[in-house]
Amino acid sequence: MPTATPQPSHRRAVAATVVGNFIESFDWLGYGLFAPLFATRFFPSHNSLTSLLGAFAVLGIGVLVRPIGGILLGRHADRHGRRPALILAISLMAGGSLLIALTPSYAHIGLLAPLLLLLARTAQGISHGGEWPAATAYLMEVAPRHRKATYGSLFSLSTCAGAFTASLLGGALTTALGPGPMASWGWRVPFLIGGILGLVLLVLRTGLAETEIYRREVHSRRDRGSLRQLLRAHRRSVLTATLFVAGTGAVGGTWTAVVPALGGRLATPGTMMWVVVTATATMMLLNVPIGLLADRIGATRLLVAASAFFAVTGSVSYLTMTGTFASLLFTYGSGVVYLVCATTVLPKLLTDIFPTKVRALGVGLPNAVMSAVLGGIAPAGATWAAEHDASAWFITGVMAAVLLAVPASLLAPAATAAPTETAPPTGTRREELPLATTGS
């Protein structure tokens, strides 16, 4: 059985798993925060909005390839193990960040500049699509049964920490360098740091051991990671997972890219970055308590309550957003609260409805598709809606996706109850299997 106090090797394995979320969040928010600065460097135009639309289009394409990552890396995690998929995902992430940091501007290499930016975001989009499902499968397979939401809160904690670090760095750089140097070269610094952090994590992940559950139940099975079997035998689970993650796809694309970018245009330079610092710092203190609460009252109840609350507060805050610190904090903070609650409980909810042999693929495919379809069109859609006085219709669509958690919560018990996999050896409950540790 799991020990009362996790061993150091277990803690290192958990850290190496969740830190990928930190780097993804750091990079993703950094792109949204700094897009107004580097947009004209890659997409020169007399209209700054046109340049920003070009930067957001690249962002959208990067998101649209997430299903490829969800399928390829999710299948890789089910067929070859969680560890190899985690190593591949962070390699793509680090490479993309370094490429963005080092690519010359359009003035220096012409059309090659936006093409290299597109290549970098495509690699990162594939990484984003496969990182979370592989990490989720790994973490939930080593977590004690009664603490799965608490372990899931570590994903939220690392996500908030990544956003906090990116915005804090952005605010500090803006204050220290000023608008001119920031637009010239300062925006490259966060991507360079993200790439270096990715390389460090790559080294750490090479020391991960495979989870005991995967080795016992899946490693020798021929049908592991089968996309055909997933879509045929687990249709209800796929539908349930799709409804669960629709909200995070829509809100993620809006609140981590659109709100920071629009806030940056409405407020004085650096204000939006300090708003993100304040909101994420506050939520970092609440991440683990939210996970403990979810383990106590139930993951589904917490997600439904958070979705209903955000459908109201998120709509009002988005439509009334101005350039003041208080308004931006209300707007951005409402989205952060929802995303923290959702990302805390979704790892448990999603892994519960899929068997081990298709778990990473089952978690990854719906999440990547919703991120691509809803998150990918959000930046360009929100910008277009703002220009045509249609923001109310846009935010209504976002909140409709958020409220899909309600029918998902009704489908989840039946999906979980369905027979999914071969039981562990007699006398050994799944949660009593040894925890994975690090090793060469």
Side-chain angles (χ1 to χ4, degrees), residues 11-36:
R11 290 195 293 267
R12 287 196 299 271
V14 171
T17 304
V18 301
V19 169
N21 253 38
F22 170 91
I23 297 175
E24 178 179 340
S25 174
F26 179 90
D27 169 84
W28 185 265
L29 183 64
Y31 193 99
L33 286 172
F34 295 104

Side-chain angles (χ1 to χ4, degrees), residues 176-333:
L177 299 178
M182 277 298 296
S184 177
W185 59 269
W187 61 267
R188 297 181 183 273
V189 174
F191 296 103
L192 181 61
I193 293 175
I196 294 173
L197 289 176
L199 294 178
V200 172
L201 182 57
L202 173 62
V203 174
L204 294 177
R205 283 186 171 179
T206 58
L208 282 176
E210 192 54 73
T211 68
E212 182 67 22
I213 293 175
Y214 179 86
R215 288 200 300 262
R216 283 179 177 247
E217 299 183 12
V218 181
H219 182 67
S220 61
R221 298 187 63 150
R222 289 189 175 183
D223 59 349
R224 63 190 188 278
S226 170
L227 178 61
R228 178 179 298 180
Q229 185 179 82
L230 174 71
L231 297 178
R232 285 185 176 181
H234 307 285
R235 291 189 299 270
R236 181 188 292 270
S237 295
V238 171
L239 173 61
T240 303
T242 301
L243 297 178
F244 267 135
V245 301
T248 56
V251 177
T254 305
W255 257 258
T256 61
V258 176
V259 171
L262 294 181
R265 295 180 63 201
L266 291 172
T268 55
T271 300
M272 189 65 216
M273 296 180 187
W274 293 114
V275 166
V276 178
V277 168
T278 303
T280 52
T282 302
M283 292 311 300
M284 283 169 62
L285 300 175
L286 299 177
N287 278 128
V288 174
I290 289 174
L292 292 169
L293 177 64
D295 279 324
R296 184 175 181 84
I297 69 173
T300 303
R301 289 180 181 178
L302 181 68
L303 180 59
V304 170
S307 300
F309 182 74
F310 177 64
V312 177
T313 59
S315 299
V316 172
S317 65
Y318 186 88
L319 294 175
T320 60
M321 180 171 54
T322 64
T324 66
F325 184 88
S327 175
L328 293 174
L329 182 60
F330 177 45
T331 304
Y332 186 78

Side-chain angles (χ1 to χ4, degrees), residues 23-402:
I23 297 175
E24 178 179 340
S25 174
F26 179 90
D27 169 84
W28 185 265
L29 183 64
Y31 193 99
L33 286 172
F34 295 104
L37 297 178
F38 67 72
T40 56
R41 301 284 170 176
F42 292 94
F43 303 94
S45 172
H46 297 297
N47 187 335
S48 61
L49 181 61
T50 301
S51 297
L52 186 60
L53 280 172
F56 275 163
V58 170
L59 176 68
I61 292 173
V63 175
L64 288 173
V65 301
R66 282 190 173 189
I68 299 176
I71 294 173
L72 294 181
L73 293 182
R75 188 173 184 273
H76 192 70
D78 287 330
R79 290 197 61 81
H80 302 288
R82 316 313 188 198
R83 175 180 172 273
L86 288 170
I87 291 174
L88 179 56
I90 198 59
S91 299
L92 292 170
M93 180 77 66
S97 292
L98 291 174
L99 184 57
I100 294 175
L102 301 176
T103 296
S105 67
Y106 188 95
H108 291 91
I109 59 174
L111 187 59
L112 188 59
L115 290 178
L116 288 176
L117 179 65
L118 177 61
L119 175 63
R121 293 306 295 181
T122 300
Q124 290 184 317
I126 294 174
S127 172
H128 290 174
E131 163 70 27
W132 192 73
T136 293
Y138 190 99
L139 191 63
M140 292 297 101
E141 288 173 4
V142 303
R145 183 177 182 180
H146 64 294
R147 284 290 179 262
K148 288 188 180 292
T150 303
Y151 271 56
S153 70
L154 299 178
F155 278 125
S156 297
L157 178 60
S158 61
T159 299
C160 285
F164 171 82
T165 305
S167 53
L168 182 62
L169 178 63
L173 286 172
T174 301
T175 302
L177 299 178
M182 277 298 296
S184 177
W185 59 269
W187 61 267
R188 297 181 183 273
V189 174
F191 296 103
L192 181 61
I193 293 175
I196 294 173
L197 289 176
L199 294 178
V200 172
L201 182 57
L202 173 62
V203 174
L204 294 177
R205 283 186 171 179
T206 58
L208 282 176
E210 192 54 73
T211 68
E212 182 67 22
I213 293 175
Y214 179 86
R215 288 200 300 262
R216 283 179 177 247
E217 299 183 12
V218 181
H219 182 67
S220 61
R221 298 187 63 150
R222 289 189 175 183
D223 59 349
R224 63 190 188 278
S226 170
L227 178 61
R228 178 179 298 180
Q229 185 179 82
L230 174 71
L231 297 178
R232 285 185 176 181
H234 307 285
R235 291 189 299 270
R236 181 188 292 270
S237 295
V238 171
L239 173 61
T240 303
T242 301
L243 297 178
F244 267 135
V245 301
T248 56
V251 177
T254 305
W255 257 258
T256 61
V258 176
V259 171
L262 294 181
R265 295 180 63 201
L266 291 172
T268 55
T271 300
M272 189 65 216
M273 296 180 187
W274 293 114
V275 166
V276 178
V277 168
T278 303
T280 52
T282 302
M283 292 311 300
M284 283 169 62
L285 300 175
L286 299 177
N287 278 128
V288 174
I290 289 174
L292 292 169
L293 177 64
D295 279 324
R296 184 175 181 84
I297 69 173
T300 303
R301 289 180 181 178
L302 181 68
L303 180 59
V304 170
S307 300
F309 182 74
F310 177 64
V312 177
T313 59
S315 299
V316 172
S317 65
Y318 186 88
L319 294 175
T320 60
M321 180 171 54
T322 64
T324 66
F325 184 88
S327 175
L328 293 174
L329 182 60
F330 177 45
T331 304
Y332 186 78
S334 64
V336 171
V337 171
Y338 165 76
L339 288 172
V340 163
C341 291
T343 55
T344 291
V345 300
L346 281 176
K348 178 185 185 304
L349 293 174
L350 298 181
T351 54
D352 277 353
I353 62 177
F354 290 105
T356 310
K357 63 184 179 182
V358 292
R359 179 167 290 150
L361 182 59
V363 170
L365 181 59
N367 182 68
V369 168
M370 287 295 99
S371 293
V373 174
L374 300 181
I377 65 175
T383 306
W384 183 90
E387 288 296 302
H388 293 81
D389 295 323
S391 293
W393 288 104
F394 171 78
I395 201 64
T396 298
V398 172
M399 296 310 164
V402 168

